[in-house]
Amino acid sequence: MNHIDSTSTRSSFALAFSTNPHRGAWFSSLAVGVLSCFAVAWGSPSQATSAPGTSADVLAFATNCENGDAVSCNDLGVSKVHGYGVPADATAAVRAFERSCRGGSPDGCSNLGALYERGVGVEGDLPEAARLYDQACNGGGALGCSNLGALYSRGRGVARDAGEAQRLFQLSCESGSAMGCNNLIASSAH
């Protein structure tokens, strides 16, 4: 299970924004992480499972998805998009993420939004990606908040709004997303 220790995350955040005279050096040491902080993290399995690796895992996800388990639908989508245990199939991943999102999984909505943002398995549609990220964020999905914030920070699919981006990164960070915290740090440095 992927778990972010919010205590250590907050400590890093406090370090970054303290009056520490080495703050600039601290930011420089994060250069590699900051370079990727605006990248959209997508195709992540739900926190309920680790990355699937066998066709038996994928079969179990497919069976559970057919029975209405939104988390299994998300994990099935991840398996399909990355080819974990089955040949990669972006179109099948889209269908699994759609079912997951309709079933109420914020991870499914975030992952579907990422496919729309990048045009993987569907025609690229930035406003639709923003709508899906918003749905994920409103459903408690920290990654959806971070991804929507990244769209706002760059003005992709939505009007550029640095204040809204920062608010979304803050919400994502407070919800335990390391990417949200990285995005918050990077946006505050500008």
Side-chain angles (χ1 to χ4, degrees), residues 119-188:
V120 174
V122 293
E123 187 171 327
D125 185 342
L126 291 173
E128 179 65 3
R131 185 192 70 75
L132 288 162
Y133 291 151
D134 185 58
Q135 184 176 343
C137 184
N138 288 329
L143 186 56
C145 298
S146 182
N147 290 348
L148 183 58
L151 292 182
Y152 273 105
S153 73
R154 296 175 291 176
R156 297 188 70 222
V158 293
R160 179 174 277 192
D161 185 337
E164 180 65 1
Q166 195 153 16
R167 182 189 75 78
L168 289 162
F169 294 150
Q170 179 77 36
L171 181 59
S172 179
C173 183
E174 289 172 355
S175 297
S177 169
M179 180 167 288
C181 295
N182 284 338
N183 286 342
L184 180 61
I185 291 168
S187 69
S188 298

Side-chain angles (χ1 to χ4, degrees), residues 79-157:
S79 298
K80 296 285 187 173
V81 82
H82 290 294
Y84 295 146
V86 293
D89 183 345
T91 303
V94 169
R95 288 192 304 271
F97 290 140
E98 286 172 339
R99 190 163 187 177
S100 177
C101 186
R102 277 194 312 270
S105 169
D107 290 337
C109 295
S110 288
N111 288 333
L112 183 58
L115 295 181
Y116 273 98
E117 182 177 357
R118 294 189 176 180
V120 174
V122 293
E123 187 171 327
D125 185 342
L126 291 173
E128 179 65 3
R131 185 192 70 75
L132 288 162
Y133 291 151
D134 185 58
Q135 184 176 343
C137 184
N138 288 329
L143 186 56
C145 298
S146 182
N147 290 348
L148 183 58
L151 292 182
Y152 273 105
S153 73
R154 296 175 291 176
R156 297 188 70 222

Side-chain angles (χ1 to χ4, degrees), residues 42-46 49-62 65 71-94 96-97 111 115:
W42 63 279
S44 299
S46 70
T49 64
S50 60
T54 67
S55 57
D57 292 331
V58 177
L59 181 59
F61 294 147
C65 180
V71 171
S72 290
C73 292
N74 179 67
D75 291 343
L76 177 62
V78 171
S79 298
K80 296 285 187 173
V81 82
H82 290 294
Y84 295 146
V86 293
D89 183 345
T91 303
V94 169
F97 290 140
N111 288 333
L115 295 181

Side-chain angles (χ1 to χ4, degrees), residues 9-53:
T9 302
R10 287 194 179 121
S11 298
S12 297
F13 181 78
L15 174 64
F17 292 98
S18 71
T19 57
N20 184 337
H22 302 290
R23 182 175 129 181
W26 189 85
F27 276 120
S28 296
S29 71
L30 286 177
V32 172
V34 171
L35 289 175
S36 65
C37 72
F38 285 111
V40 175
W42 63 279
S44 299
S46 70
Q47 292 186 2
T49 64
S50 60

